[in-house]
Amino acid sequence: AVVSTQSTGDGAQAEQVHKLKSMMKKAGLAKKKPETTYVIAKKTAGKHQKRPPGAKGKVKFVDGRMKKDTDGMKRAAAKKKTGGAKPKKVRNRVGHKPRSR
């Protein structure tokens, strides 16, 4: 199906560009961002390390603590989204005296 990008009369150039981009996206020809492989750098070598075998595309060496921080932030966001911490269940301590405080 061939679609004409030229409109009758004085079509705006921006509109034509937008149409072209949407057609490219539908056809699967849009630019895709190259995937980056993140590798936790060893403390002694830092960023001066060899590429890991089997890694395709760009490889970025990162600090392990940075990865833990981002994972923790994701967990906190997920927890906040679901409603936060649930109240703890109080166990019935059968046959025990209540604790004095």
Side-chain angles (χ1 to χ4, degrees):
V2 178
V3 180
S4 176
T5 55
Q6 269 190 325
S7 58
T8 57
D10 53 77
Q13 194 174 4
E15 192 178 325
Q16 289 178 358
V17 169
H18 180 72
K19 267 187 187 176
L20 244 172
K21 281 185 180 177
S22 65
M23 283 169 45
M24 293 280 279
K25 195 181 261 187
K26 282 180 186 174
L29 301 171
K31 284 185 182 177
K32 291 180 183 171
K33 206 172 186 183
E35 288 193 25
T36 306
T37 306
Y38 294 98
V39 178
I40 298 174
K42 290 181 177 70
K43 289 180 183 177
T44 54
K47 293 202 178 218
H48 309 289
Q49 296 185 40
K50 290 181 181 178
R51 283 177 64 93
K56 293 181 180 178
K58 189 177 178 184
V59 174
K60 190 169 186 179
F61 292 96
V62 294
D63 187 5
R65 291 166 295 184
M66 184 179 88
K67 200 156 189 180
K68 285 181 183 177
D69 284 347
T70 53
D71 286 348
M73 289 174 90
K74 282 180 189 174
R75 272 196 303 276
K79 197 173 194 182
K80 195 173 188 181
K81 196 174 185 182
T82 57
K86 294 179 177 94
K88 287 186 177 181
K89 285 185 178 178
V90 179
R91 280 186 29 218
N92 187 8
R93 295 168 51 89
V94 179
H96 292 274
K97 289 182 183 177
R99 291 184 186 162
S100 58
R101 292 190 180 180

